[in-house]
């Protein structure tokens, strides 16, 4: 019984900390900071960044993150409707959805440490 409980606990942690996959901006929550990371499959820094984001998500209820690649459903909508200049991977943005529109709070080029991301999340400054 104890083994089953431990297994269920770790499975729940794993599913809680997974990157969200939104199909449209309409699906994104309005009450959370959303970290959008543009990525490619062969990027080791992108995978490293995901580990940092999982750690942040475990301690913050008002935070979501998503990995976006050019094969994601939402990719075209984001690139066509928002100024997301992506020249290096990972390129990431902290956004907040207000009145159905994404407002970019901050842009990151390349891998970011947990402390750098938390500093921006805890700041009231806008991009």
């Amino acid at each position: 019984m104890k083994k089953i409980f431990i297994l269920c606990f770790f499975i729940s942690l794993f599913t809680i900390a997974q990157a969200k996959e939104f199909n449209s901006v309409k699906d994104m929550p309005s009450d959370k900071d959303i970290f959008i990371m543009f990525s490619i499959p062969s990027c080791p820094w992108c995978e490293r960044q995901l580990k940092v984001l999982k750690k942040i998500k475990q301690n913050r209820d008002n935070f979501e993150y998503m990995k976006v690649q050019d094969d994601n459903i939402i990719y075209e909508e984001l690139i066509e409707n928002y100024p997301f200049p992506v020249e290096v991977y990972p390129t990431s943005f902290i956004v907040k959805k207000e009145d159905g529109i994404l407002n970019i709070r901050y842009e990151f080029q390349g891998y970011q440490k947990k402390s750098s991301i938390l500093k921006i999340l805890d700041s009231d400054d806008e991009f």
Side-chain angles (χ1 to χ4, degrees):
M1 183 70 169
K2 185 177 179 181
K3 289 180 183 179
I4 292 173
F5 174 76
I6 292 171
L7 179 64
C8 290
F9 175 75
F10 283 110
I11 290 172
S12 67
L13 282 180
F14 180 73
T15 57
I16 288 171
Q18 289 297 308
K20 289 281 187 169
E21 288 196 27
F22 299 105
N23 293 326
S24 172
V25 171
K26 294 176 192 171
D27 298 337
M28 295 176 158
S30 296
D31 59 340
K32 298 184 180 192
D33 290 308
I34 304 168
F35 191 99
I36 299 173
M37 182 184 75
F38 287 89
S39 172
I40 56 175
S42 61
C43 174
W45 288 103
C46 298
E47 293 306 313
R48 190 171 178 191
Q49 188 71 75
L50 282 175
K51 291 177 184 178
V52 170
L53 297 173
K54 287 178 186 178
K55 289 179 184 176
I56 293 171
K57 174 63 180 158
Q58 289 175 346
N59 297 320
R60 290 178 101 82
D61 292 334
N62 64 338
F63 177 78
E64 291 292 346
Y65 66 95
M66 61 185 290
K67 180 173 82 169
V68 177
Q69 296 178 343
D70 63 2
D71 63 347
N72 291 101
I73 294 171
I74 197 170
Y75 177 83
E76 292 296 324
E77 180 183 2
L78 292 174
I79 295 299
E80 289 177 9
N81 297 314
Y82 297 96
F84 290 128
V86 179
E87 296 180 16
V88 298
Y89 295 100
T91 294
S92 305
F93 302 86
I94 295 178
V95 301
K96 190 86 165 193
K97 183 177 163 186
E98 297 169 349
D99 299 324
I101 299 170
L102 296 182
N103 294 309
I104 299 172
R105 289 190 57 211
Y106 204 82
E107 174 183 348
F108 296 104
Q109 296 287 324
Y111 170 81
Q112 301 297 313
K113 294 179 183 179
K114 181 180 175 182
S115 60
S116 299
I117 296 169
L118 290 175
K119 182 177 179 180
I120 299 302
L121 290 171
D122 292 337
S123 170
D124 290 332
D125 291 341
E126 297 289 323
F127 182 62

